[in-house]
């Protein structure tokens, strides 16, 4: 299996008035195509920082991020924006759906921005996650789990190579969490999407192909 993402000696140091904080200290790992990898760590362990670096929303202090064979750490901002839109999908703790648009319109939004027609795919994804009947509803009328499934459908609309998920189950109850973890596993398998999920929930490990503990600036396979 080809590696889609290779992280080499990734380091992030924040410079604060009180001194330097080394959030990520020489982290290295690689991820194969279609793998579902979970990083579990407590609050403040650098999970969001790691995803932001990979999404090029923040700059690494040191290290390489090799995506599809190319180091992307030095590409320009407009190239980074294009890469995010066409190759990456994002799911956050809070669904970030736009309340004044329907579920279907929300799911179609990234396709619209990319200039693609995707109604068939939107229907396919909403059916797959069991919420097609909610397509014309507005997000505030959905449950937390339904919203996160809609957010997942939206993240997948442009067929991203890489899906980055930042505590996507952070505000769900146990049963809904399990469902979301399963949805991610199914996505990796059926769509061939490579998934990096960060969470503080140890239950996520059961569904992942690989799992790391992230703590004190380092990662360790568990
Ligand atoms: N922009 C920033 N400037 C300074 N420190 C930051 C910044 N962003 C995050 N940090 C610090 O880096 C550490 C890791 O943060 P974060 O990646 O958000 O952790 P997590 O997502 O695991 O809760 C925390 O101590 C946080 O305070
Ligand atoms: Mg975070």
């Amino acid at each position: 299996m080809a590696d889609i993402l290779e992280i080499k000696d990734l380091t992030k140091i924040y410079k604060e008035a009180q001194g330097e904080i080394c959030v990520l200290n020489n982290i290295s790992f690689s991820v194969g195509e279609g793998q579902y990898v979970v990083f579990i760590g407590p609050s403040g362990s650098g999970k969001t920082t790691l995803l932001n670096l990979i999404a090029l929303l923040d700059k690494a202090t040191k290290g390489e991020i090799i995506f599809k064979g190319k180091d992307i750490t030095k590409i320009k901002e407009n190239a980074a924006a294009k890469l995010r839109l066409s190759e990456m999908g994002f799911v956050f703790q809070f669904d970030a759906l736009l309340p004044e648009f329907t579920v279907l319109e929300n799911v179609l939004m990234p396709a619209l921005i990319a200039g693609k027609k995707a109604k068939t795919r939107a229907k396919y994804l909403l059916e797959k996650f069991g919420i097609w009947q909610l397509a014309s509803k507005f997000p505030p009328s959905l449950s937390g789990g339904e919203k996160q499934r809609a957010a997942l459908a939206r993240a997948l609309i442009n067929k991203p190579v890489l899906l980055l998920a930042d505590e996507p189950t952070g505000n769900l109850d146990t049963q809904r969490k399990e469902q979301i973890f399963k949805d991610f596993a199914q996505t990796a398998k059926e769509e061939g999407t490579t998934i990096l999920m960060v969470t503080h929930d140890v239950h996520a490990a059961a569904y992942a192909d690989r799992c790391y503990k992230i703590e004190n600036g380092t990662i360790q396979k568990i």
Side-chain angles (χ1 to χ4, degrees), residues 43-44 46-49 93 166-167 198:
S43 178
K47 302 185 296 298
T48 296
T49 301
Q93 175 170 1
D166 193 350
E167 304 208 37
V198 304

Side-chain angles (χ1 to χ4, degrees), residues 145-164:
E146 289 163 348
K147 280 188 214 171
Q148 279 308 54
R149 273 178 274 154
L152 179 55
R154 181 183 56 181
L156 293 172
I157 194 76
N158 286 342
K159 299 191 177 163
V161 173
L162 182 65
L163 182 69
L164 302 173

